[in-house]
Amino acid sequence: MEDERCDPNGPSHPRAFPVGEAGRSERQPGELRVDFPVSVVLPAGGTGERTGLSTPKQFCSVLGRPLISVTVQAFERVSWIQSVVVVVAKENMELMTDIVQRFQHRKVRVVAGGSTRHRSICKGVLALGEEEEERPKVVIIHDAVRPFVEEDFLYKIAMAAKEHGAAGAIRPLVSTVIATTSEGFLDHSLERGRYRASEMPQGFTYSVIHQAYERCTESDLEFGTECLHLALQYCGTNAKLIEGPPTLWKVTYKRDLAAAESIIKESLSGSACVITGGSAGAVTLADALQKAAAALDMELDLVSDLTGDNGRYLSEEFNFIQVSVTGSCLSEVKSLLVDLEAVNQALLHPLVVIWIHLCRPDEVMMPEPAAAIMDVASAAKLRNILLYGIRLHQSEDPERWERSVSRVAEITSALIRERSPALVGQLLQA
């Protein structure tokens, strides 16, 4: 293919790219089909000096899970990506291997990196090419600390890379870029509207990125950062530039870790699944709760029962959020926990299960429900499942009932969002 030919005399390319037409796919996320092998290289050898933390940022915890694991999971969930090579510093090989095992990553291979970013990426690319029959057609290179990449954009990058030999994400410049004199005065500024920031992910046919690293200089390996530049300069392959979503931002500073956690929490609190068990009272409450949640921009899906394959479906499709509504016992909650454990898949984030104890108007609160939920919650917590309880009295007064249901929706949203270990096993009053 013409785009894959390498020309060692190819032109250079600046880091800030002049604006080009952004490539767009007409397919929807649920319809994505890739009929060629795609692999990913995640350079994760940085020390994270700008965060000011002793732990490299890729290994810092976000909702109880290392950031690198969150990023890896984003790629593993894409069915058409066959493998992910994570390149880490030699001293972190054991740590990364432990993360792979602990969070049950299935597509990951850990490789020791080099002393610079380009050297590490090169080692990752070479690792993908060790077995000729398993070499991917397209290699996607991404930063380990950009955890919010989505399948539809990966699809655009992969398809553009296959067609053009190279493709990269771009974003509008936030600040004006200026040049300074040696004395520290303004020299000139760039016209911001004509330029874009180069971002990740970037995609390449294997032949292009492999030959680019074969032909580049020691200076490139030591001081360079831009893979698209190598493809253009050493292979004559001009990358297709695709404008990416705002979610492609990179965790750079300590405050970014808090921002990443907040984004994840906000996403997780936007949907839940209500298990009604089929009882009339539970169905009535679920319907009312669904309407109340909509006012909080929270989407509830109603499911009559949870058995067998439903447990697998729910755990994958609902971001591990379930809200269980039952009448007088915890049997449905226990069944739910059994089904979720049977999935045998590491949870991306702590799973929230909320049991709503619906009481009759004349029912006197006994200590058994509170004690029972604490026992079940203690066992579930060992599995990274956070069980909370809410006690709600039925009311024949429509206005009072509506207020109570709205209160339950608010508590539910807050529990799902915050995932507080301190409230696990508590039976809250609505």
Side-chain angles (χ1 to χ4, degrees):
M1 190 168 90
E2 183 176 346
D3 289 307
E4 294 182 1
R5 295 182 306 188
C6 283
D7 178 6
N9 298 315
S12 60
H13 209 293
R15 174 73 175 172
F17 297 104
V19 177
E21 180 184 349
R24 297 190 180 277
S25 167
E26 297 300 321
R27 294 179 180 267
Q28 298 301 314
E31 303 172 343
L32 305 182
R33 294 183 181 87
V34 176
D35 59 1
F36 51 89
V38 179
S39 292
V40 177
V41 173
L42 290 179
T47 59
E49 292 179 0
R50 284 178 288 184
T51 62
L53 301 172
S54 57
T55 301
K57 57 194 173 186
Q58 62 269 28
F59 299 118
C60 288
S61 178
V62 176
L63 283 183
R65 191 182 189 104
L67 181 61
I68 178 65
S69 180
V70 178
T71 306
V72 166
Q73 192 79 355
F75 287 98
E76 283 195 324
R77 287 172 173 267
V78 178
S79 61
W80 44 267
I81 289 180
Q82 65 177 15
S83 63
V84 180
V85 173
V86 180
V87 190
V88 299
K90 291 180 181 179
E91 60 268 25
N92 290 322
M93 286 284 288
E94 185 175 346
L95 172 60
M96 188 64 217
T97 300
D98 176 68
I99 290 172
V100 170
Q101 295 172 348
R102 182 155 41 105
F103 294 99
Q104 301 175 26
H105 291 302
R106 303 176 305 281
K107 299 182 181 181
V108 173
R109 177 181 175 188
V110 184
V111 173
S115 57
T116 65
R117 175 180 171 81
H118 265 326
R119 294 186 192 279
S120 291
I121 295 174
C122 181
K123 285 180 177 289
V125 171
L126 293 176
L128 288 173
E130 289 177 354
E131 300 293 335
E132 186 172 352
E133 62 276 9
E134 296 182 4
R135 287 177 186 171
K137 175 66 177 179
V138 167
V139 179
I140 292 177
I141 299 172
H142 191 64
D143 290 323
V145 291
R146 295 180 193 259
F148 302 122
V149 63
E150 297 177 355
E151 181 177 1
D152 59 346
F153 190 71
L154 290 173
Y155 175 85
K156 294 176 184 178
I157 290 292
M159 298 303 289
K162 180 177 182 290
E163 180 179 357
H164 302 284
I170 55 172
R171 288 287 300 158
L173 292 175
V174 176
S175 303
T176 299
V177 178
I178 63 174
T180 61
T181 66
S182 58
E183 294 82 16
F185 293 95
L186 175 67
D187 188 323
H188 67 278
S189 63
L190 298 180
E191 185 182 338
R192 187 172 61 182
R194 294 188 59 246
Y195 293 87
R196 292 292 182 266
S198 176
E199 304 284 0
M200 290 288 173
Q202 295 176 356
F204 307 84
T205 56
Y206 182 83
S207 59
V208 164
I209 193 63
H210 180 262
Q211 291 179 47
Y213 275 115
E214 270 192 331
R215 298 185 176 191
C216 72
T217 66
E218 283 294 312
S219 178
D220 291 316
L221 292 173
E222 190 66 28
F223 303 108
T225 59
E226 181 54 73
C227 298
L228 298 181
H229 171 84
L230 296 185
L232 184 59
Q233 183 169 2
Y234 296 104
C235 299
T237 300
N238 199 350
K240 178 68 173 178
L241 304 179
I242 306 173
E243 187 157 331
T247 51
L248 292 179
W249 63 279
K250 180 180 180 181
V251 173
T252 304
Y253 302 102
K254 184 178 179 179
R255 62 178 180 270
D256 294 334
L257 290 168
E261 185 163 297
S262 179
I263 289 172
I264 293 172
K265 284 182 175 180
E266 194 66 33
S267 173
L268 295 178
S269 65
S271 62
C273 172
V274 179
I275 316 292
T276 66
S279 68
V283 171
T284 299
L285 172 57
D287 287 338
L289 188 59
Q290 190 176 44
K291 294 176 182 177
L296 300 173
D297 293 326
M298 183 179 181
E299 184 176 328
L300 296 186
D301 284 73
L302 307 185
V303 178
S304 175
D305 198 4
L306 185 74
T307 56
D309 289 342
N310 286 340
R312 181 181 300 275
Y313 173 81
L314 292 172
S315 68
E316 291 177 352
E317 297 298 321
F318 285 87
N319 221 354
F320 302 110
I321 302 172
Q322 280 78 35
V323 180
S324 180
V325 180
T326 186
S328 59
C329 68
L330 280 166
S331 59
E332 289 182 10
V333 176
K334 292 177 182 178
S335 297
L336 170 63
L337 298 180
V338 169
D339 284 338
L340 291 169
E341 290 180 16
V343 173
N344 193 29
Q345 179 176 325
L347 301 180
L348 181 56
H349 305 293
L351 164 67
V352 170
V353 176
I354 299 176
W355 173 53
I356 300 179
H357 181 73
L358 186 59
C359 304
R360 297 184 302 274
D362 58 345
E363 183 177 340
V364 178
M365 181 61 183
M366 302 298 288
E368 286 78 6
I373 192 174
M374 182 61 76
D375 290 341
V376 177
S378 297
K381 192 175 180 180
L382 298 176
R383 299 282 188 175
N384 204 25
I385 297 172
L386 307 180
L387 174 61
Y388 307 100
I390 302 175
R391 183 170 183 264
L392 173 64
H393 273 289
Q394 287 181 313
S395 176
E396 296 179 357
D397 181 347
E399 291 185 4
R400 183 176 180 182
W401 173 250
E402 185 177 344
R403 288 196 302 270
S404 297
V405 172
S406 296
R407 176 63 176 159
V408 169
E410 292 172 358
I411 295 173
T412 297
S413 177
L415 289 173
I416 289 173
R417 187 181 194 281
E418 296 304 325
R419 284 166 159 72
S420 171
L423 296 177
V424 165
Q426 300 298 310
L427 191 58
L428 307 174
Q429 301 295 318

